[in-house]
Amino acid sequence: ISSLCTRVLILPRPMLPQNFTHKSQEALQHAQQIAFQSGQQTLEAVHVFFALLEQADGAVPAVLKKLSV
């Protein structure tokens, strides 16, 4: 059976901003501002995390509130 199986290589698709929701685009823009204000030239996960936390009407704060975090 293994000789009948073929391997399929799945290449990652590029992350195109137009495929993101409006809220996601806002969060990424805010994350870039956070990185820039911190004097960093690269956008890292921590910047996105803080941007998502700061979205007053975003999903992350709502979930954390529901969890009493």
Side-chain angles (χ1 to χ4, degrees):
I1 292 179
S2 64
S3 63
L4 297 176
C5 295
T6 58
R7 292 186 181 192
V8 176
L9 177 63
I10 300 175
L11 299 175
R13 297 187 323 200
M15 293 182 8
L16 303 174
Q18 63 266 24
N19 292 338
F20 293 176
T21 65
H22 182 71
K23 296 300 286 181
S24 297
Q25 291 176 10
E26 287 177 354
L28 287 174
Q29 288 174 351
H30 186 57
Q32 287 177 322
Q33 291 173 349
I34 292 170
F36 179 75
Q37 290 169 353
S38 300
Q40 298 184 2
Q41 296 179 354
T42 58
L43 181 64
E44 297 181 13
V46 68
H47 302 123
V48 177
F49 177 69
F50 281 116
L52 290 171
L53 281 178
E54 293 179 356
Q55 280 188 327
D57 57 344
V60 173
V63 169
L64 293 176
K65 184 177 180 180
K66 184 143 182 114
L67 294 172
S68 300
V69 176

